[in-house]
Amino acid sequence: MTDAAAAPAAPLPMFYKNPVPLEPARHAQAGLKPEVDFRFAANTNAIPLTASEMPHAARTYPIVFSINAPTVPFAVVGLRDNENLFVNAEGVWRDDSYIPAYVRRYPFIFSEVPESQRLVLCIDEAAANFEANSSQPLFADGKPTEGLQRALQFNETFQAHYMDTRNFGEWLDKNNMLEDRTARADLGGGQTFTLRGFKLLNPDRARALEDAQVLELHKKGWLALLHFHLQSLQNWGLLGHLTRTRTAAKPS
């Protein structure tokens, strides 16, 4: 009799290495370091967004849509793989740039309980700012502190917005509004970068929407998001500028 092969583990969400359910017994003294350090987000060039964030993110980042289901928007934060142009070597996010909620919720995350619709709040024990023994623990007398309650509320809001975002993406897919695209950035000196593997709104299909579809988008609060998405594509030039600046600053 041979042993059955183990099922492959589901891939962990971006940034997370060891998320475990928050429990008073396990995390009675655990907490987070007060210093804000975004180096955990330095090695990616795209970060998921919720639909509600698109008006804010569109001021700084090109917003694209994932090529694979579920269709969700992403903020492009770098032209090269594994490079976030908005996080410096000290872990500081670039001034006056919107920080996506996906980043701000870290190291917390909701996880679905197997065979249940219930969600449980988890914390990534591998996070650099996680402390097993903290002067400001997440629990006091077995109950969540005010800081943990704020984290729970933030993650509940994020989860609700994420579900609305998935519905928005499904609507775009159902109505064939997106198309595979590439982007090319000119870095000067004959050097260019070409990005692939994402989708953008087809403006011609958007203009051809029927009145009933436009009304549906408006009532769901999604109509303006199409305009913010298109507006955001003007930010490719900023990424090119930041890439040139970072490349020039590196020692030769």
Side-chain angles (χ1 to χ4, degrees):
M1 182 178 178
T2 58
D3 294 333
L12 291 172
M14 183 170 59
F15 306 151
Y16 296 85
K17 297 178 180 177
N18 185 32
V20 298
L22 268 167
E23 299 174 348
R26 180 180 179 123
H27 301 107
Q29 301 301 319
L32 300 177
K33 297 176 184 178
E35 299 83 9
V36 178
D37 188 333
F38 292 109
R39 274 177 282 195
F40 68 87
N43 297 320
T44 183
N45 67 348
I47 296 173
L49 294 170
T50 61
S52 63
E53 296 179 274
M54 290 178 65
H56 309 287
R59 300 170 186 168
T60 307
Y61 314 106
I63 298 175
V64 303
F65 291 89
S66 53
I67 200 166
N68 298 317
T71 297
V72 294
F74 277 76
V76 181
V77 296
L79 296 176
R80 297 181 283 221
D81 289 342
N82 305 316
E83 183 180 53
N84 184 342
L85 294 165
F86 294 85
V87 177
N88 66 18
E90 289 72 42
V92 177
W93 204 278
R94 187 171 184 265
D95 287 344
D96 301 324
S97 297
Y98 177 76
I99 303 175
Y102 187 97
V103 173
R104 288 182 281 125
R105 71 169 179 170
Y106 186 80
F108 298 101
I109 189 173
F110 268 129
S111 179
E112 187 172 313
V113 177
E115 301 178 3
S116 169
Q117 297 298 315
R118 189 169 64 91
L119 296 173
V120 61
L121 187 65
C122 298
I123 190 168
D124 188 358
E125 292 186 341
N129 64 336
F130 175 81
E131 294 182 310
N133 292 284
S134 173
S135 60
Q136 296 181 316
L138 298 170
F139 291 94
D141 299 324
K143 297 182 179 179
T145 61
E146 183 178 345
L148 181 54
Q149 290 175 356
R150 287 197 300 268
L152 176 61
Q153 292 170 356
F154 185 89
N155 278 266
E156 287 176 339
T157 301
F158 179 90
Q159 193 70 20
H161 288 180
Y162 176 70
M163 295 310 298
D164 180 66
T165 303
R166 289 191 59 163
N167 292 335
F168 174 52
E170 290 173 359
W171 192 96
L172 295 176
D173 284 339
K174 181 181 68 175
N175 290 278
N176 193 32
M177 298 296 295
L178 303 175
E179 62 181 358
D180 294 355
R181 293 288 295 275
T182 62
R184 181 174 289 105
D186 183 4
L187 301 184
Q191 187 180 17
T192 62
F193 275 103
T194 301
L195 275 74
R196 298 179 176 84
F198 60 87
K199 292 183 178 181
L200 299 179
L201 178 71
N202 183 310
D204 292 334
R205 296 172 193 168
R207 285 189 289 269
L209 285 171
E210 298 178 358
D211 291 349
Q213 292 174 304
V214 173
L215 181 60
E216 181 184 6
L217 282 170
H218 173 69
K219 287 188 173 182
K220 291 180 180 293
W222 297 338
L223 182 59
L225 302 184
L226 304 184
H227 300 287
F228 284 116
H229 160 62
L230 293 174
Q231 171 193 325
S232 78
L233 301 181
Q234 300 177 26
N235 294 320
W236 289 114
L238 173 61
L239 295 188
H241 167 72
L242 294 177
T243 302
R244 290 191 295 271
T245 302
R246 180 168 291 191
T247 301
K250 290 181 178 180
S252 56

